[in-house]
Amino acid sequence: MSQGSFLDKLSVVLGNVAAKINSWRYIMVIKNAFAALIPVIITGAFGTLFSAMVFDSENGLARISALRFLADLKPIASSISYVTLSFLTIYAVFLIGIELAKLNKIEGVFPGIVAVMAYLSVNPTTYDFLTEEKRNILVTNVLAKQYTDTKGLFLGMFVAILSIELYSWLSRQERLKIKMPDTVPANVAVSFSALFPTILTITAISALGFIIHALTGLYAYDIIYNIIQRPLEGVVQGLPGILLLVFIAQIFWVIGIHGNQMVKPIREPLLLAAIAVNTEAFEAGKDVPNIITMPFWDMYMSMGGSGVTIGLLIAIFITGKRADMREITKLSFVPGLFNINEPVIFGMPIMLNPILAIPFVFVPLITGTIGYIATSIGFAAKAVVMVPWPMPPIINAYLATAGDLGAVITQCICILVSIIIYLPFVKVSNRTLTEVA
């Protein structure tokens, strides 16, 4: 079998897999919901950034005597961080409810409220508070933070999907619709038509949560978090797990399918949750726990875009002799600075290119390993701020780590390594044009 024939068949097979994954309704819903959540996370992250770099009296601008008054404004940044990151699961549940309802032909924001009510109904409203004297006090009518921040994400996604599917089915049952006279305003009539589906949905989900607790002694949160979410977090937080995820994304890119979109349903909930946890810990002055976060992906495995193609562009400027590649590089360099590299992937092309596809797949694995080692030994700080993905390299490392120069140096090393790796493949590409001519 020729190499071209093999690549064509591989492209068809993986293309079919990608089409099936992307067409799955729950994958679409989760991707859309988390895309909408990114401004929330970035807002909270920048609250933390300002708290550390502006309002902090030890490390921020507030340490300057003339600007001491800025320290008094720190509660503003703290409240921004709290209302965004500490309620991320609630926002995710709300958005998933709306997105899934849209697929079920139900418009409006009310399904999002139904999803939130359903999620809250399966969580306890009591909390065991341990005092300084080591006494347990049962606090009632409260919702513990673990149910609203990122720890509840997987349970929230599951409950949102289950509740809205049930609500949508009940809404289609004519017998449950309350018919109002034509003189009743339309918005009132719609509210009453949703009455029985809402009551039955919340009752069913609440009863399910009660049964789970009665049979197991555990709340649904404990089961989902310990059996599903925590193990997945452990896999992705390990170097092999994140490298496997990047490898899968790069393979899809090579056959012309948007690799990041393919891994998004797995990547986004876990890596966005990880950076939210880091941000909260940093804001509270605690040890930052997670090395691998969404900014880690952007800082060390996606400089210039997927495949760390900023290294390819610079390598072509250094040693590229093909006019077509140099022209594409000139057109792609500025977008590449903002991590937009579709012009490179499809114009060079890297897609189905047996020469450039090799470094494109393996460079992010190498740079990701460098970033992980540098962070694990403490040379580079862990990311604590979720910066927008188009933020140019160097700047994003500085902002994501709240001004850590070790992270900036590490990113520079990664870019240099990517250039060195891409250089011989660019030289081979130079020869292919000569051979064809």
Side-chain angles (χ1 to χ4, degrees):
M1 181 186 296
S2 68
Q3 187 179 53
S5 176
F6 172 76
L7 289 175
D8 289 340
K9 288 188 176 182
L10 179 63
S11 177
V12 171
V13 171
L14 293 181
N16 291 335
V17 171
K20 288 182 180 179
I21 293 174
N22 276 322
S23 64
W24 197 31
R25 55 196 283 114
Y26 303 133
I27 294 294
M28 295 167 56
V29 164
I30 291 171
K31 286 197 298 186
N32 291 342
F34 276 90
L37 269 179
I38 288 176
V40 176
I41 298 171
I42 292 176
T43 298
F46 271 93
T48 298
L49 184 66
F50 275 91
S51 177
M53 302 184 73
V54 177
F55 303 133
D56 190 85
S57 58
E58 294 182 4
N59 302 307
L61 291 177
R63 72 180 185 274
I64 301 172
S65 57
L67 299 175
R68 290 286 185 190
F69 70 94
L70 290 174
D72 297 330
L73 303 179
K74 193 169 184 176
I76 298 174
S78 299
S79 66
I80 293 172
S81 179
Y82 178 73
V83 301
T84 51
L85 303 178
S86 296
F87 294 91
L88 206 61
T89 291
I90 302 299
Y91 303 144
V93 169
F94 180 74
L95 292 170
I96 288 171
I98 292 174
E99 291 294 333
L100 184 55
K102 285 180 184 177
L103 292 184
N104 292 335
K105 311 300 182 185
I106 300 176
E107 298 296 329
V109 299
F110 185 69
I113 298 175
V114 172
V116 171
M117 289 192 296
Y119 173 68
L120 295 177
S121 74
V122 301
N123 289 311
T125 54
T126 59
Y127 179 71
D128 286 322
F129 178 71
L130 186 65
T131 66
E132 293 182 357
E133 294 79 21
K134 305 300 180 182
R135 289 192 304 113
N136 271 325
I137 298 177
L138 183 65
V139 183
T140 59
N141 297 320
V142 296
L143 191 66
K145 186 180 177 182
Q146 66 201 52
Y147 305 123
T148 62
D149 66 12
T150 57
K151 293 185 184 67
L153 269 177
F154 274 70
L155 175 63
M157 291 189 290
F158 176 77
V159 172
I161 289 170
L162 180 62
S163 62
I164 296 306
E165 289 289 28
L166 177 59
Y167 174 79
S168 300
W169 181 80
L170 292 170
S171 297
R172 292 192 294 269
Q173 309 306 307
E174 291 295 328
R175 292 172 297 177
L176 296 178
K177 292 182 179 179
I178 299 177
K179 306 293 184 182
M180 304 295 290
D182 294 338
T183 54
V184 175
N187 60 334
V188 176
V190 169
S191 297
F192 271 91
S193 67
L195 181 59
F196 283 127
T198 301
I199 292 173
L200 293 174
T201 297
I202 303 305
T203 301
I205 299 298
S206 180
L208 178 61
F210 175 83
I211 291 170
I212 291 172
H213 185 259
L215 293 177
T216 66
L218 300 172
Y219 289 101
Y221 164 84
D222 302 312
I223 296 172
I224 296 297
Y225 181 72
N226 290 314
I227 294 178
I228 298 177
Q229 185 168 339
R230 181 181 284 177
L232 281 175
E233 288 175 344
V235 170
V236 173
Q237 278 302 312
L239 183 60
I242 195 65
L243 294 184
L244 177 61
L245 203 60
V246 174
F247 179 77
I248 292 170
Q250 298 307 103
I251 292 296
F252 275 109
W253 273 117
V254 166
I255 65 168
I257 297 170
H258 199 298
N260 288 345
Q261 293 297 327
M262 297 309 302
V263 301
K264 228 178 183 183
I266 299 173
R267 184 187 71 177
E268 305 291 85
L270 296 173
L271 297 192
L272 290 177
I275 186 59
V277 169
N278 280 11
T279 301
E280 285 189 295
F282 182 76
E283 173 69 22
K286 300 177 181 177
D287 289 336
V288 178
N290 300 313
I291 292 178
I292 297 173
T293 59
M294 199 64 242
F296 179 93
W297 181 293
D298 296 332
M299 288 161 53
Y300 300 124
M301 298 184 292
S302 191
M303 295 89 77
S306 296
V308 195
T309 49
I310 192 169
L312 172 61
L313 298 178
I314 296 173
I316 292 173
F317 278 133
I318 294 172
T319 193
K321 292 184 170 56
R322 288 176 49 169
D324 58 336
M325 291 177 67
R326 292 187 69 86
E327 284 301 316
I328 292 169
T329 299
K330 291 175 184 177
L331 294 172
S332 304
F333 190 73
V334 173
L337 289 177
F338 296 92
N339 305 314
I340 300 169
N341 69 339
E342 280 81 357
V344 181
I345 293 173
F346 299 109
M348 197 66 68
I350 294 173
M351 178 186 67
L352 297 179
N353 184 328
I355 298 172
L356 294 180
I358 296 172
F360 180 80
V361 169
F362 289 102
V363 164
L365 306 182
I366 296 168
T367 57
T369 301
I370 294 171
Y372 184 89
I373 293 172
T375 308
S376 63
I377 65 175
F379 178 76
K382 297 170 184 174
V384 294
V385 176
M386 176 66 193
V387 297
W389 65 265
M391 190 71 68
I394 310 304
I395 298 175
N396 70 352
Y398 185 78
L399 293 179
T401 56
D404 181 67
L405 293 180
V408 173
I409 294 170
T410 301
Q411 193 180 58
C412 290
I413 293 171
C414 289
I415 293 173
L416 179 61
V417 168
S418 72
I419 297 169
I420 293 171
I421 295 173
Y422 271 114
L423 275 172
F425 291 93
V426 172
K427 291 179 179 178
V428 172
S429 296
N430 291 338
R431 291 202 298 269
T432 58
L433 180 65
T434 305
E435 290 169 3
V436 171

